[in-house]
Amino acid sequence: PWSRQGVREGREDPRADVFWRVIDIVGELAGRPKGEALQCFVLENVEGILLEDVHRRRGIDDVEARLKARAPQFKVRVMQLNSREY
């Protein structure tokens, strides 16, 4: 949905549903009782998620909003890393 190579439909692309489901799972796991709850997580995606899609929306803004709604106890931090450096 956010690749520079595709049509860049963003959240309108049905393939984004997989990513939204992952966020739902993070929220479900984070909401478990203390001692069982998810403590941290890492999500990875393509650089294009930082850019506007054809609808003039940035995917990262949707991701951050959904994460904050589903797992408000987590501090969400966006980092752009290059795997060649690790």
Side-chain angles (χ1 to χ4, degrees):
W2 300 287
S3 170
R4 290 181 180 190
Q5 302 298 320
V7 287
R8 303 204 30 83
E9 283 290 323
R11 69 180 178 203
E12 306 300 326
D13 189 321
R15 295 174 297 172
D17 291 345
V18 172
F19 205 73
W20 305 140
R21 182 63 187 130
V22 168
I23 291 174
D24 289 342
I25 292 168
V26 166
E28 290 169 17
L29 295 174
R32 288 185 172 180
K34 190 174 182 172
E36 297 178 23
L38 185 68
Q39 299 296 306
C40 68
F41 63 94
V42 175
L43 294 176
E44 180 274 337
N45 210 289
V46 295
E47 183 179 29
I49 201 168
L50 301 172
L51 307 173
E52 286 186 347
D53 60 23
V54 296
H55 305 286
R56 303 195 51 85
R57 294 186 302 249
R58 291 182 343 137
I60 194 65
D61 296 331
D62 289 334
V63 169
E64 284 186 285
R66 288 178 187 235
L67 280 170
K68 288 176 183 175
R70 292 291 288 142
Q73 65 273 47
F74 280 120
K75 176 181 175 183
V76 177
R77 183 171 23 168
V78 176
M79 299 173 67
Q80 187 173 1
L81 304 173
N82 186 332
S83 61
R84 287 181 278 182
E85 297 173 3
Y86 297 92

